[in-house]
PDB file of all heavy atoms in Angstrom:
ATOM      1  N   THR B  19       0.795-140.568 -30.169  1.00  0.00           N
ATOM      2  CA  THR B  19       1.292-140.945 -31.539  1.00  0.00           C
ATOM      3  C   THR B  19       2.734-140.474 -31.811  1.00  0.00           C
ATOM      4  O   THR B  19       3.628-141.251 -32.199  1.00  0.00           O
ATOM      5  CB  THR B  19       0.289-140.403 -32.516  1.00  0.00           C
ATOM      6  OG1 THR B  19      -1.003-140.640 -32.232  1.00  0.00           O
ATOM      7  CG2 THR B  19       0.572-141.117 -33.996  1.00  0.00           C
ATOM      8  N   LEU B  20       3.014-139.168 -31.549  1.00  0.00           N
ATOM      9  CA  LEU B  20       4.264-138.592 -31.636  1.00  0.00           C
ATOM     10  C   LEU B  20       5.366-139.367 -30.857  1.00  0.00           C
ATOM     11  O   LEU B  20       6.348-139.689 -31.283  1.00  0.00           O
ATOM     12  CB  LEU B  20       4.320-137.104 -31.379  1.00  0.00           C
ATOM     13  CG  LEU B  20       3.783-136.218 -32.471  1.00  0.00           C
ATOM     14  CD1 LEU B  20       3.607-134.847 -31.818  1.00  0.00           C
ATOM     15  CD2 LEU B  20       4.703-136.114 -33.716  1.00  0.00           C
ATOM     16  N   ALA B  21       4.995-139.607 -29.627  1.00  0.00           N
ATOM     17  CA  ALA B  21       5.946-140.196 -28.790  1.00  0.00           C
ATOM     18  C   ALA B  21       6.263-141.590 -29.152  1.00  0.00           C
ATOM     19  O   ALA B  21       7.348-142.020 -29.137  1.00  0.00           O
ATOM     20  CB  ALA B  21       5.405-140.260 -27.241  1.00  0.00           C
ATOM     21  N   ALA B  22       5.218-142.374 -29.463  1.00  0.00           N
ATOM     22  CA  ALA B  22       5.369-143.708 -30.016  1.00  0.00           C
ATOM     23  C   ALA B  22       6.289-143.820 -31.284  1.00  0.00           C
ATOM     24  O   ALA B  22       7.169-144.573 -31.357  1.00  0.00           O
ATOM     25  CB  ALA B  22       4.065-144.415 -30.243  1.00  0.00           C
ATOM     26  N   PHE B  23       6.086-142.823 -32.155  1.00  0.00           N
ATOM     27  CA  PHE B  23       6.862-142.736 -33.434  1.00  0.00           C
ATOM     28  C   PHE B  23       8.309-142.437 -33.104  1.00  0.00           C
ATOM     29  O   PHE B  23       9.203-143.240 -33.588  1.00  0.00           O
ATOM     30  CB  PHE B  23       6.272-141.735 -34.267  1.00  0.00           C
ATOM     31  CG  PHE B  23       7.090-141.191 -35.546  1.00  0.00           C
ATOM     32  CD1 PHE B  23       7.181-142.160 -36.414  1.00  0.00           C
ATOM     33  CD2 PHE B  23       7.775-140.023 -35.620  1.00  0.00           C
ATOM     34  CE1 PHE B  23       7.995-141.798 -37.662  1.00  0.00           C
ATOM     35  CE2 PHE B  23       8.436-139.776 -36.693  1.00  0.00           C
ATOM     36  CZ  PHE B  23       8.539-140.563 -37.766  1.00  0.00           C
ATOM     37  N   MET B  24       8.519-141.512 -32.106  1.00  0.00           N
ATOM     38  CA  MET B  24       9.932-141.191 -31.793  1.00  0.00           C
ATOM     39  C   MET B  24      10.513-142.297 -31.089  1.00  0.00           C
ATOM     40  O   MET B  24      11.826-142.639 -31.274  1.00  0.00           O
ATOM     41  CB  MET B  24      10.010-139.976 -31.067  1.00  0.00           C
ATOM     42  CG  MET B  24       9.728-138.706 -32.020  1.00  0.00           C
ATOM     43  SD  MET B  24       9.181-137.244 -31.101  1.00  0.00           S
ATOM     44  CE  MET B  24      10.775-136.699 -30.498  1.00  0.00           C
ATOM     45  N   ALA B  25       9.917-142.924 -30.085  1.00  0.00           N
ATOM     46  CA  ALA B  25      10.366-144.017 -29.412  1.00  0.00           C
ATOM     47  C   ALA B  25      10.805-145.289 -30.374  1.00  0.00           C
ATOM     48  O   ALA B  25      11.695-145.833 -30.189  1.00  0.00           O
ATOM     49  CB  ALA B  25       9.380-144.627 -28.335  1.00  0.00           C
ATOM     50  N   ALA B  26       9.923-145.363 -31.359  1.00  0.00           N
ATOM     51  CA  ALA B  26      10.148-146.623 -32.320  1.00  0.00           C
ATOM     52  C   ALA B  26      11.343-146.389 -33.161  1.00  0.00           C
ATOM     53  O   ALA B  26      12.126-147.136 -33.294  1.00  0.00           O
ATOM     54  CB  ALA B  26       8.893-146.701 -33.245  1.00  0.00           C
ATOM     55  N   ASN B  27      11.560-145.035 -33.522  1.00  0.00           N
ATOM     56  CA  ASN B  27      12.712-144.767 -34.382  1.00  0.00           C
ATOM     57  C   ASN B  27      14.060-144.904 -33.538  1.00  0.00           C
ATOM     58  O   ASN B  27      15.042-145.477 -34.075  1.00  0.00           O
ATOM     59  CB  ASN B  27      12.632-143.278 -34.911  1.00  0.00           C
ATOM     60  CG  ASN B  27      11.912-143.121 -36.104  1.00  0.00           C
ATOM     61  OD1 ASN B  27      11.646-144.085 -36.867  1.00  0.00           O
ATOM     62  ND2 ASN B  27      11.371-141.913 -36.317  1.00  0.00           N
ATOM     63  N   TRP B  28      13.990-144.467 -32.341  1.00  0.00           N
ATOM     64  CA  TRP B  28      15.110-144.629 -31.326  1.00  0.00           C
ATOM     65  C   TRP B  28      15.402-146.099 -31.095  1.00  0.00           C
ATOM     66  O   TRP B  28      16.616-146.556 -31.272  1.00  0.00           O
ATOM     67  CB  TRP B  28      14.753-143.925 -30.140  1.00  0.00           C
ATOM     68  CG  TRP B  28      15.738-143.971 -29.043  1.00  0.00           C
ATOM     69  CD1 TRP B  28      16.996-143.299 -28.978  1.00  0.00           C
ATOM     70  CD2 TRP B  28      15.866-144.923 -27.968  1.00  0.00           C
ATOM     71  NE1 TRP B  28      17.800-143.742 -27.942  1.00  0.00           N
ATOM     72  CE2 TRP B  28      17.144-144.764 -27.250  1.00  0.00           C
ATOM     73  CE3 TRP B  28      15.121-145.908 -27.436  1.00  0.00           C
ATOM     74  CZ2 TRP B  28      17.501-145.496 -26.128  1.00  0.00           C
ATOM     75  CZ3 TRP B  28      15.442-146.669 -26.379  1.00  0.00           C
ATOM     76  CH2 TRP B  28      16.607-146.515 -25.749  1.00  0.00           C
ATOM     77  N   LEU B  29      14.397-146.928 -30.901  1.00  0.00           N
ATOM     78  CA  LEU B  29      14.557-148.274 -30.480  1.00  0.00           C
ATOM     79  C   LEU B  29      14.926-149.042 -31.684  1.00  0.00           C
ATOM     80  O   LEU B  29      15.969-149.854 -31.643  1.00  0.00           O
ATOM     81  CB  LEU B  29      13.284-148.760 -30.050  1.00  0.00           C
ATOM     82  CG  LEU B  29      13.185-150.146 -29.252  1.00  0.00           C
ATOM     83  CD1 LEU B  29      13.988-150.011 -27.982  1.00  0.00           C
ATOM     84  CD2 LEU B  29      11.837-150.686 -28.997  1.00  0.00           C
ATOM     85  N   PHE B  30      14.425-148.744 -32.888  1.00  0.00           N
ATOM     86  CA  PHE B  30      14.879-149.400 -34.205  1.00  0.00           C
ATOM     87  C   PHE B  30      16.322-149.217 -34.506  1.00  0.00           C
ATOM     88  O   PHE B  30      17.014-150.152 -34.773  1.00  0.00           O
ATOM     89  CB  PHE B  30      13.871-148.715 -35.252  1.00  0.00           C
ATOM     90  CG  PHE B  30      14.252-149.511 -36.658  1.00  0.00           C
ATOM     91  CD1 PHE B  30      13.843-150.675 -36.836  1.00  0.00           C
ATOM     92  CD2 PHE B  30      14.850-148.694 -37.730  1.00  0.00           C
ATOM     93  CE1 PHE B  30      14.096-151.408 -38.009  1.00  0.00           C
ATOM     94  CE2 PHE B  30      14.993-149.442 -38.839  1.00  0.00           C
ATOM     95  CZ  PHE B  30      14.600-150.713 -39.168  1.00  0.00           C
ATOM     96  N   ALA B  31      16.927-148.059 -34.238  1.00  0.00           N
ATOM     97  CA  ALA B  31      18.315-147.770 -34.475  1.00  0.00           C
ATOM     98  C   ALA B  31      19.070-148.597 -33.309  1.00  0.00           C
ATOM     99  O   ALA B  31      20.091-149.081 -33.615  1.00  0.00           O
ATOM    100  CB  ALA B  31      18.571-146.337 -34.372  1.00  0.00           C
ATOM    101  N   ARG B  32      18.509-148.481 -32.094  1.00  0.00           N
ATOM    102  CA  ARG B  32      19.280-149.184 -31.066  1.00  0.00           C
ATOM    103  C   ARG B  32      19.526-150.617 -31.170  1.00  0.00           C
ATOM    104  O   ARG B  32      20.462-151.261 -30.846  1.00  0.00           O
ATOM    105  CB  ARG B  32      18.518-148.965 -29.614  1.00  0.00           C
ATOM    106  CG  ARG B  32      18.891-147.667 -28.924  1.00  0.00           C
ATOM    107  CD  ARG B  32      20.288-147.653 -28.680  1.00  0.00           C
ATOM    108  NE  ARG B  32      20.703-148.457 -27.496  1.00  0.00           N
ATOM    109  CZ  ARG B  32      21.005-147.952 -26.281  1.00  0.00           C
ATOM    110  NH1 ARG B  32      21.002-146.641 -26.116  1.00  0.00           N
ATOM    111  NH2 ARG B  32      21.359-148.801 -25.384  1.00  0.00           N
ATOM    112  N   VAL B  33      18.418-151.392 -31.684  1.00  0.00           N
ATOM    113  CA  VAL B  33      18.457-152.817 -31.805  1.00  0.00           C
ATOM    114  C   VAL B  33      19.095-153.229 -33.263  1.00  0.00           C
ATOM    115  O   VAL B  33      18.978-154.394 -33.584  1.00  0.00           O
ATOM    116  CB  VAL B  33      17.142-153.511 -31.573  1.00  0.00           C
ATOM    117  CG1 VAL B  33      16.694-153.331 -30.198  1.00  0.00           C
ATOM    118  CG2 VAL B  33      16.013-152.979 -32.520  1.00  0.00           C
ATOM    119  N   GLY B  34      19.664-152.313 -33.967  1.00  0.00           N
ATOM    120  CA  GLY B  34      20.395-152.685 -35.147  1.00  0.00           C
ATOM    121  C   GLY B  34      19.386-152.822 -36.431  1.00  0.00           C
ATOM    122  O   GLY B  34      19.826-153.728 -37.308  1.00  0.00           O
ATOM    123  N   ARG B  35      18.390-152.099 -36.451  1.00  0.00           N
ATOM    124  CA  ARG B  35      17.606-152.081 -37.696  1.00  0.00           C
ATOM    125  C   ARG B  35      17.092-153.499 -38.205  1.00  0.00           C
ATOM    126  O   ARG B  35      17.577-153.812 -39.238  1.00  0.00           O
ATOM    127  CB  ARG B  35      18.194-151.347 -38.827  1.00  0.00           C
ATOM    128  CG  ARG B  35      18.614-149.917 -38.360  1.00  0.00           C
ATOM    129  CD  ARG B  35      19.245-148.991 -39.375  1.00  0.00           C
ATOM    130  NE  ARG B  35      19.353-147.730 -38.850  1.00  0.00           N
ATOM    131  CZ  ARG B  35      18.456-146.676 -38.858  1.00  0.00           C
ATOM    132  NH1 ARG B  35      17.197-147.051 -39.463  1.00  0.00           N
ATOM    133  NH2 ARG B  35      18.615-145.488 -38.262  1.00  0.00           N
ATOM    134  N   PRO B  36      16.490-154.319 -37.305  1.00  0.00           N
ATOM    135  CA  PRO B  36      16.064-155.622 -37.883  1.00  0.00           C
ATOM    136  C   PRO B  36      15.038-155.680 -38.919  1.00  0.00           C
ATOM    137  O   PRO B  36      14.131-154.800 -39.069  1.00  0.00           O
ATOM    138  CB  PRO B  36      15.520-156.309 -36.516  1.00  0.00           C
ATOM    139  CG  PRO B  36      15.015-155.157 -35.749  1.00  0.00           C
ATOM    140  CD  PRO B  36      15.915-153.992 -36.028  1.00  0.00           C
ATOM    141  N   LEU B  37      15.265-156.514 -39.938  1.00  0.00           N
ATOM    142  CA  LEU B  37      14.323-156.607 -41.119  1.00  0.00           C
ATOM    143  C   LEU B  37      12.948-157.046 -40.698  1.00  0.00           C
ATOM    144  O   LEU B  37      11.995-156.635 -41.266  1.00  0.00           O
ATOM    145  CB  LEU B  37      14.935-157.596 -42.003  1.00  0.00           C
ATOM    146  CG  LEU B  37      16.156-157.164 -42.812  1.00  0.00           C
ATOM    147  CD1 LEU B  37      16.378-158.324 -43.878  1.00  0.00           C
ATOM    148  CD2 LEU B  37      15.785-155.864 -43.564  1.00  0.00           C
ATOM    149  N   TRP B  38      12.862-157.942 -39.610  1.00  0.00           N
ATOM    150  CA  TRP B  38      11.505-158.505 -39.312  1.00  0.00           C
ATOM    151  C   TRP B  38      10.702-157.577 -38.443  1.00  0.00           C
ATOM    152  O   TRP B  38       9.503-157.870 -38.186  1.00  0.00           O
ATOM    153  CB  TRP B  38      11.741-159.871 -38.557  1.00  0.00           C
ATOM    154  CG  TRP B  38      12.620-159.700 -37.350  1.00  0.00           C
ATOM    155  CD1 TRP B  38      14.022-159.865 -37.436  1.00  0.00           C
ATOM    156  CD2 TRP B  38      12.314-159.508 -36.093  1.00  0.00           C
ATOM    157  NE1 TRP B  38      14.548-159.691 -36.112  1.00  0.00           N
ATOM    158  CE2 TRP B  38      13.524-159.401 -35.263  1.00  0.00           C
ATOM    159  CE3 TRP B  38      11.081-159.150 -35.350  1.00  0.00           C
ATOM    160  CZ2 TRP B  38      13.529-159.024 -33.870  1.00  0.00           C
ATOM    161  CZ3 TRP B  38      11.156-159.023 -34.173  1.00  0.00           C
ATOM    162  CH2 TRP B  38      12.352-158.848 -33.400  1.00  0.00           C
ATOM    163  N   MET B  39      11.252-156.495 -37.946  1.00  0.00           N
ATOM    164  CA  MET B  39      10.508-155.473 -37.106  1.00  0.00           C
ATOM    165  C   MET B  39      10.526-154.095 -37.611  1.00  0.00           C
ATOM    166  O   MET B  39      11.375-153.327 -37.125  1.00  0.00           O
ATOM    167  CB  MET B  39      11.060-155.618 -35.629  1.00  0.00           C
ATOM    168  CG  MET B  39      10.253-155.002 -34.723  1.00  0.00           C
ATOM    169  SD  MET B  39       8.767-155.936 -34.180  1.00  0.00           S
ATOM    170  CE  MET B  39       8.123-154.817 -32.963  1.00  0.00           C
ATOM    171  N   PRO B  40       9.978-153.836 -38.805  1.00  0.00           N
ATOM    172  CA  PRO B  40      10.001-152.428 -39.299  1.00  0.00           C
ATOM    173  C   PRO B  40       9.528-151.472 -38.286  1.00  0.00           C
ATOM    174  O   PRO B  40       8.699-151.782 -37.490  1.00  0.00           O
ATOM    175  CB  PRO B  40       9.264-152.561 -40.543  1.00  0.00           C
ATOM    176  CG  PRO B  40       8.276-153.641 -40.421  1.00  0.00           C
ATOM    177  CD  PRO B  40       9.017-154.698 -39.521  1.00  0.00           C
ATOM    178  N   PRO B  41      10.097-150.142 -38.438  1.00  0.00           N
ATOM    179  CA  PRO B  41       9.562-149.078 -37.476  1.00  0.00           C
ATOM    180  C   PRO B  41       8.095-148.937 -37.328  1.00  0.00           C
ATOM    181  O   PRO B  41       7.447-148.674 -36.261  1.00  0.00           O
ATOM    182  CB  PRO B  41      10.046-147.846 -38.128  1.00  0.00           C
ATOM    183  CG  PRO B  41      11.331-148.278 -38.930  1.00  0.00           C
ATOM    184  CD  PRO B  41      10.945-149.680 -39.382  1.00  0.00           C
ATOM    185  N   VAL B  42       7.306-149.190 -38.497  1.00  0.00           N
ATOM    186  CA  VAL B  42       5.910-149.028 -38.499  1.00  0.00           C
ATOM    187  C   VAL B  42       5.215-149.981 -37.502  1.00  0.00           C
ATOM    188  O   VAL B  42       4.340-149.682 -36.692  1.00  0.00           O
ATOM    189  CB  VAL B  42       5.261-149.036 -39.901  1.00  0.00           C
ATOM    190  CG1 VAL B  42       5.371-150.393 -40.529  1.00  0.00           C
ATOM    191  CG2 VAL B  42       3.847-148.611 -39.866  1.00  0.00           C
ATOM    192  N   LEU B  43       5.799-151.192 -37.463  1.00  0.00           N
ATOM    193  CA  LEU B  43       5.241-152.249 -36.571  1.00  0.00           C
ATOM    194  C   LEU B  43       5.669-151.862 -35.175  1.00  0.00           C
ATOM    195  O   LEU B  43       4.757-152.004 -34.245  1.00  0.00           O
ATOM    196  CB  LEU B  43       5.743-153.539 -37.033  1.00  0.00           C
ATOM    197  CG  LEU B  43       5.216-154.816 -36.190  1.00  0.00           C
ATOM    198  CD1 LEU B  43       3.714-154.853 -36.253  1.00  0.00           C
ATOM    199  CD2 LEU B  43       5.781-156.136 -36.779  1.00  0.00           C
ATOM    200  N   MET B  44       6.806-151.460 -35.030  1.00  0.00           N
ATOM    201  CA  MET B  44       7.307-151.156 -33.629  1.00  0.00           C
ATOM    202  C   MET B  44       6.597-149.997 -33.048  1.00  0.00           C
ATOM    203  O   MET B  44       6.041-150.090 -31.963  1.00  0.00           O
ATOM    204  CB  MET B  44       8.820-150.719 -33.850  1.00  0.00           C
ATOM    205  CG  MET B  44       9.715-151.364 -32.772  1.00  0.00           C
ATOM    206  SD  MET B  44      11.464-150.899 -33.264  1.00  0.00           S
ATOM    207  CE  MET B  44      12.230-152.376 -33.266  1.00  0.00           C
ATOM    208  N   ALA B  45       6.291-148.920 -33.922  1.00  0.00           N
ATOM    209  CA  ALA B  45       5.496-147.772 -33.501  1.00  0.00           C
ATOM    210  C   ALA B  45       4.077-148.242 -33.148  1.00  0.00           C
ATOM    211  O   ALA B  45       3.493-147.677 -32.132  1.00  0.00           O
ATOM    212  CB  ALA B  45       5.369-146.754 -34.573  1.00  0.00           C
ATOM    213  N   ALA B  46       3.630-149.214 -33.844  1.00  0.00           N
ATOM    214  CA  ALA B  46       2.155-149.662 -33.643  1.00  0.00           C
ATOM    215  C   ALA B  46       2.015-150.315 -32.326  1.00  0.00           C
ATOM    216  O   ALA B  46       1.095-150.177 -31.566  1.00  0.00           O
ATOM    217  CB  ALA B  46       1.618-150.468 -34.814  1.00  0.00           C
ATOM    218  N   VAL B  47       3.044-151.229 -32.059  1.00  0.00           N
ATOM    219  CA  VAL B  47       3.016-152.002 -30.871  1.00  0.00           C
ATOM    220  C   VAL B  47       3.215-151.136 -29.596  1.00  0.00           C
ATOM    221  O   VAL B  47       2.368-151.241 -28.725  1.00  0.00           O
ATOM    222  CB  VAL B  47       4.230-153.052 -30.850  1.00  0.00           C
ATOM    223  CG1 VAL B  47       4.290-153.763 -29.509  1.00  0.00           C
ATOM    224  CG2 VAL B  47       3.981-154.223 -31.930  1.00  0.00           C
ATOM    225  N   ILE B  48       4.077-150.295 -29.682  1.00  0.00           N
ATOM    226  CA  ILE B  48       4.351-149.191 -28.558  1.00  0.00           C
ATOM    227  C   ILE B  48       3.085-148.468 -28.353  1.00  0.00           C
ATOM    228  O   ILE B  48       2.513-148.182 -27.274  1.00  0.00           O
ATOM    229  CB  ILE B  48       5.407-148.254 -28.946  1.00  0.00           C
ATOM    230  CG1 ILE B  48       6.810-149.082 -28.999  1.00  0.00           C
ATOM    231  CG2 ILE B  48       5.492-147.211 -27.823  1.00  0.00           C
ATOM    232  CD1 ILE B  48       7.950-148.201 -29.372  1.00  0.00           C
ATOM    233  N   LEU B  49       2.384-148.015 -29.524  1.00  0.00           N
ATOM    234  CA  LEU B  49       1.189-147.205 -29.475  1.00  0.00           C
ATOM    235  C   LEU B  49       0.069-147.962 -28.806  1.00  0.00           C
ATOM    236  O   LEU B  49      -0.702-147.448 -28.051  1.00  0.00           O
ATOM    237  CB  LEU B  49       0.876-146.735 -30.906  1.00  0.00           C
ATOM    238  CG  LEU B  49       0.011-145.525 -31.197  1.00  0.00           C
ATOM    239  CD1 LEU B  49       0.358-144.359 -30.263  1.00  0.00           C
ATOM    240  CD2 LEU B  49       0.039-145.048 -32.537  1.00  0.00           C
ATOM    241  N   ALA B  50      -0.133-149.190 -29.251  1.00  0.00           N
ATOM    242  CA  ALA B  50      -1.153-149.996 -28.843  1.00  0.00           C
ATOM    243  C   ALA B  50      -0.981-150.112 -27.299  1.00  0.00           C
ATOM    244  O   ALA B  50      -1.995-150.046 -26.560  1.00  0.00           O
ATOM    245  CB  ALA B  50      -1.296-151.408 -29.484  1.00  0.00           C
ATOM    246  N   GLY B  51       0.173-150.381 -26.834  1.00  0.00           N
ATOM    247  CA  GLY B  51       0.503-150.582 -25.413  1.00  0.00           C
ATOM    248  C   GLY B  51       0.043-149.206 -24.677  1.00  0.00           C
ATOM    249  O   GLY B  51      -0.535-149.225 -23.695  1.00  0.00           O
ATOM    250  N   ALA B  52       0.486-148.050 -25.298  1.00  0.00           N
ATOM    251  CA  ALA B  52       0.327-146.811 -24.687  1.00  0.00           C
ATOM    252  C   ALA B  52      -1.186-146.474 -24.597  1.00  0.00           C
ATOM    253  O   ALA B  52      -1.798-146.000 -23.616  1.00  0.00           O
ATOM    254  CB  ALA B  52       0.893-145.678 -25.477  1.00  0.00           C
ATOM    255  N   VAL B  53      -1.994-146.783 -25.743  1.00  0.00           N
ATOM    256  CA  VAL B  53      -3.507-146.499 -25.730  1.00  0.00           C
ATOM    257  C   VAL B  53      -4.155-147.413 -24.652  1.00  0.00           C
ATOM    258  O   VAL B  53      -5.002-146.887 -23.958  1.00  0.00           O
ATOM    259  CB  VAL B  53      -4.007-146.832 -27.145  1.00  0.00           C
ATOM    260  CG1 VAL B  53      -5.590-146.812 -27.240  1.00  0.00           C
ATOM    261  CG2 VAL B  53      -3.497-145.772 -28.150  1.00  0.00           C
ATOM    262  N   ALA B  54      -3.682-148.639 -24.543  1.00  0.00           N
ATOM    263  CA  ALA B  54      -4.326-149.576 -23.599  1.00  0.00           C
ATOM    264  C   ALA B  54      -4.055-149.163 -22.209  1.00  0.00           C
ATOM    265  O   ALA B  54      -4.888-149.096 -21.357  1.00  0.00           O
ATOM    266  CB  ALA B  54      -3.836-150.934 -23.921  1.00  0.00           C
ATOM    267  N   ALA B  55      -2.727-148.699 -21.895  1.00  0.00           N
ATOM    268  CA  ALA B  55      -2.326-148.319 -20.556  1.00  0.00           C
ATOM    269  C   ALA B  55      -2.829-147.006 -20.135  1.00  0.00           C
ATOM    270  O   ALA B  55      -3.177-146.816 -18.945  1.00  0.00           O
ATOM    271  CB  ALA B  55      -0.846-148.320 -20.483  1.00  0.00           C
ATOM    272  N   SER B  56      -3.118-146.048 -21.061  1.00  0.00           N
ATOM    273  CA  SER B  56      -3.591-144.756 -20.666  1.00  0.00           C
ATOM    274  C   SER B  56      -5.058-144.686 -20.335  1.00  0.00           C
ATOM    275  O   SER B  56      -5.512-143.777 -19.762  1.00  0.00           O
ATOM    276  CB  SER B  56      -3.277-143.740 -21.882  1.00  0.00           C
ATOM    277  OG  SER B  56      -4.195-144.088 -22.909  1.00  0.00           O
ATOM    278  N   GLY B  57      -5.761-145.697 -20.673  1.00  0.00           N
ATOM    279  CA  GLY B  57      -7.185-145.861 -20.365  1.00  0.00           C
ATOM    280  C   GLY B  57      -8.124-144.827 -21.182  1.00  0.00           C
ATOM    281  O   GLY B  57      -9.225-144.553 -20.952  1.00  0.00           O
ATOM    282  N   ILE B  58      -7.453-144.268 -22.382  1.00  0.00           N
ATOM    283  CA  ILE B  58      -8.109-143.431 -23.136  1.00  0.00           C
ATOM    284  C   ILE B  58      -9.206-144.047 -24.079  1.00  0.00           C
ATOM    285  O   ILE B  58     -10.283-143.436 -24.270  1.00  0.00           O
ATOM    286  CB  ILE B  58      -7.136-142.530 -24.006  1.00  0.00           C
ATOM    287  CG1 ILE B  58      -7.830-141.838 -25.264  1.00  0.00           C
ATOM    288  CG2 ILE B  58      -6.152-143.502 -24.588  1.00  0.00           C
ATOM    289  CD1 ILE B  58      -6.795-140.905 -25.901  1.00  0.00           C
ATOM    290  N   GLY B  59      -9.007-145.284 -24.308  1.00  0.00           N
ATOM    291  CA  GLY B  59      -9.979-146.118 -25.012  1.00  0.00           C
ATOM    292  C   GLY B  59      -9.690-145.996 -26.532  1.00  0.00           C
ATOM    293  O   GLY B  59      -9.258-144.793 -27.063  1.00  0.00           O
TER     294      GLY B  59
END
Side-chain angles (χ1 to χ4, degrees):
Chain B
T19 315
L20 280 172
F23 171 68
M24 289 161 75
N27 274 341
W28 176 81
L29 197 63
F30 183 65
R32 274 300 286 253
V33 294
R35 308 183 171 272
L37 287 182
W38 54 271
M39 191 77 178
V42 66
L43 183 57
M44 232 177 230
V47 171
I48 296 173
L49 200 47
V53 170
S56 68
I58 166 175

